[in-house]
Amino acid sequence: MKKTIDFLLLYDLEVRDKRLIKDISKALEINNFSTIVAKLNEEFEICNKFKVKNVVINKPHFHYLERIINKLKGVKFIVLDTEGILPANNSQRCIFEPDGYIHWFTHQKDRYSFEKCKQIVSGYPRKNFISPNTTKTEGLITVATNFSYLFYSRKEILKKRNDRKLKLKNDFDVIDYRNFQRSCLKILLKVIKLNPTYNFILKPHPNDAKKLWTKIESKKFENLVIMNPQLEIDSLFKKNPQFHMCFDGCTTILDAYYANLDTITLGRFNDFNDSKLRHLEKFNISSSEFRIEKVTSQLISNSISLNKDKLFFDELNVFEKSKIIKLLMEVNHEKSFFKMSNLPDRNLLSHFLKDILKRVIPIRFSKLSRKKIV
């Protein structure tokens, strides 16, 4: 007979998500619930090995046949959106309602019209892991990158585009976003080159291509240090930089806000025009402003205005882990339900058909040519 596990808690990126998931697991175990913490790709194996009552996932992606089957068997799914704030006006495409959904902010929650799903707004879950900086090192700049769509072949990037259509509604185009990332790379390299008196510490995104960083290292910038991408973001901030740089729409701007750092964003992506993350930036370098001196002279006047969106800042400054634990316990005691949220479209039906055929007919698929840095 299979052993019963109350909660299977899954994390996506270890460097970004695991610490939060383990912290929640510990709180559940204090309340006498059995838990397993595992990587996303271990979900189906664990669900086959154990009788899992509740699965905590990072996004409500139910285009996997295994999740649909497990849902029909009575497994309950709770979404803890570890990536959190979608900077564009897109939303997750839920085929059926999850049993619970933990949002960071109200404006994210308002994008969904669930009827039975229990939802809460928790604030920013990684808030408790960031310590505010009390000192700054003049001339030192930290940078968090995201070149996640660079160095894919055309065939691979088109597949990525189709995958996003399975997961998101009202989404931006992946090709446009790749072009945005290319422009950000050009801006970043030019900033480093044209400001030799400033020192830069770059933290690559775990999804960046290994080939990219090999090429950047080959340029041998004397004012550039590339940080171990497996270290967490607070390790970067502990260098006590003068200010932090990230790309338009990057959630490390939230981490920098808690670290008491001024943030300069690189590049502009039109689909992020309504992003609330832009409330937190002190300056933006898009195409012409490359001299850091010009930026620093304007930082004082570009102070963050808390009046731009009071609700957003209220929720940004409060995180209640107890609300998450309470929701998880409430879902655990509720009966499982199956309620459709979005009817499958042609793209989704085609995906299911291909998935079934792959299970029936052995097909060899070529591996991605692109290797991630982590």
Side-chain angles (χ1 to χ4, degrees):
M1 191 172 180
K2 292 182 179 180
K3 180 181 177 182
T4 298
I5 301 295
D6 293 317
F7 289 94
L8 169 60
L9 299 109
L10 303 168
Y11 61 89
D12 182 10
L13 297 177
E14 182 169 346
V15 66
R16 185 189 64 198
D17 307 325
K18 187 175 181 180
R19 182 161 55 167
L20 170 65
I21 295 301
K22 289 190 73 173
D23 193 47
I24 292 171
S25 169
K26 187 181 297 185
L28 286 168
E29 289 178 349
I30 290 173
N31 284 279
N32 298 316
F33 291 99
S34 56
T35 71
I36 294 178
V37 172
K39 295 180 180 178
L40 268 174
N41 60 11
E42 298 174 323
E43 174 186 354
F44 306 135
E45 179 184 349
I46 293 172
C47 284
N48 285 332
K49 185 176 180 181
F50 299 96
K51 182 181 178 182
V52 179
K53 295 173 65 179
N54 308 279
V55 181
V56 178
I57 54 180
N58 66 327
K59 296 171 185 175
H61 295 162
F62 297 119
H63 57 283
Y64 302 107
L65 286 177
E66 288 87 351
R67 278 188 181 165
I68 295 175
I69 292 169
N70 286 334
K71 179 64 177 171
L72 291 170
K73 287 181 178 178
V75 176
K76 287 170 281 189
F77 288 90
I78 304 102
V79 181
L80 172 56
D81 217 343
T82 48
E83 197 168 7
I85 183 169
L86 294 168
N89 288 320
N90 47 16
S91 60
Q92 302 289 353
R93 186 184 295 277
C94 304
I95 302 173
F96 53 82
E97 293 188 17
D99 297 83
Y101 206 130
I102 300 159
H103 303 273
W104 293 2
F105 303 108
T106 295
H107 76 273
Q108 289 291 128
K109 177 177 176 290
D110 289 345
R111 296 181 184 184
Y112 303 92
S113 54
F114 299 134
E115 295 181 14
K116 300 189 70 174
C117 172
K118 289 182 176 292
Q119 298 183 82
I120 61 166
V121 173
S122 69
Y124 187 51
R126 294 199 293 275
K127 176 180 183 292
N128 293 352
F129 302 125
I130 304 292
S131 300
N133 288 29
T134 56
T135 61
K136 293 184 179 181
T137 305
E138 291 296 319
L140 181 63
I141 302 168
T142 57
V143 186
T145 69
N146 181 2
F147 297 118
S148 54
Y149 284 104
L150 300 190
F151 286 90
Y152 283 110
S153 68
R154 176 156 182 82
K155 181 179 179 181
E156 290 168 346
I157 202 71
L158 290 176
K159 184 180 184 304
K160 287 282 181 182
R161 176 197 266 174
N162 289 331
D163 287 345
R164 284 185 70 91
K165 289 179 180 178
L166 293 173
K167 301 172 182 177
L168 294 159
K169 297 196 305 183
N170 193 32
D171 194 30
F172 53 79
D173 186 79
V174 166
I175 305 297
D176 291 341
Y177 193 60
R178 181 177 64 170
N179 292 336
F180 161 71
Q181 291 189 347
R182 284 174 174 167
S183 68
C184 286
L185 177 59
K186 289 179 181 178
I187 293 171
L188 176 60
L189 295 179
K190 196 165 185 180
V191 167
I192 295 170
K193 183 178 179 179
L194 294 181
N195 294 276
T197 59
Y198 284 82
N199 293 311
F200 296 82
I201 303 177
L202 271 66
K203 184 182 182 303
H205 193 284
N207 286 333
D208 285 355
K210 188 174 183 180
K211 183 178 179 180
L212 168 66
W213 290 99
T214 301
K215 288 184 70 172
I216 292 177
E217 285 177 331
S218 70
K219 294 182 180 295
K220 296 183 178 179
F221 289 113
E222 293 184 358
N223 59 335
L224 170 64
V225 173
I226 298 176
M227 187 177 178
N228 183 348
Q230 294 181 314
L231 294 175
E232 295 180 349
I233 192 70
D234 55 321
S235 299
L236 183 66
F237 296 150
K238 286 177 182 176
K239 304 295 182 181
N240 296 317
Q242 182 179 348
F243 54 82
H244 177 65
M245 278 186 175
C246 66
F247 301 156
D248 192 18
C250 177
T251 56
T252 66
I253 197 171
L254 294 167
D255 300 309
Y257 173 79
Y258 288 119
N260 195 32
L261 295 174
D262 294 329
T263 299
I264 296 172
T265 56
L266 299 176
R268 278 299 191 220
F269 190 57
N270 288 337
D271 288 62
F272 295 167
N273 282 340
D274 296 327
S275 172
K276 295 182 184 295
L277 294 180
R278 290 190 179 179
H279 295 333
L280 303 178
E281 68 181 24
K282 284 295 191 76
F283 196 84
N284 174 264
I285 300 175
S286 54
S287 61
S288 58
E289 297 288 341
F290 294 111
R291 298 291 180 182
I292 298 300
E293 288 80 6
K294 292 182 180 180
V295 174
T296 54
S297 66
Q298 297 185 49
L299 282 177
I300 296 175
S301 61
N302 291 352
S303 59
I304 294 172
S305 172
L306 301 184
N307 295 323
K308 288 179 180 177
D309 194 321
K310 186 176 184 303
L311 179 60
F312 170 69
F313 279 96
D314 286 346
E315 293 173 345
L316 178 61
N317 288 306
V318 177
F319 169 65
E320 299 177 82
K321 184 175 71 176
S322 60
K323 289 178 67 174
I324 294 178
I325 304 305
K326 181 182 178 183
L327 174 77
L328 294 175
M329 291 192 297
E330 286 177 354
V331 171
N332 177 69
H333 288 104
E334 293 285 337
K335 288 185 178 180
S336 177
F337 62 86
F338 192 99
K339 181 167 183 54
M340 296 294 296
S341 180
N342 291 291
L343 293 176
D345 58 12
R346 183 179 300 177
N347 191 41
L348 188 59
L349 292 173
S350 175
H351 162 77
F352 283 137
L353 180 59
K354 290 177 183 177
D355 196 7
I356 292 169
L357 287 175
K358 281 192 295 185
R359 296 160 193 263
V360 177
I361 305 171
I363 304 173
R364 292 183 65 182
F365 293 90
S366 58
K367 293 183 179 180
L368 291 174
S369 60
R370 181 188 189 273
K371 304 295 182 184
K372 294 180 181 180
I373 194 168
V374 175

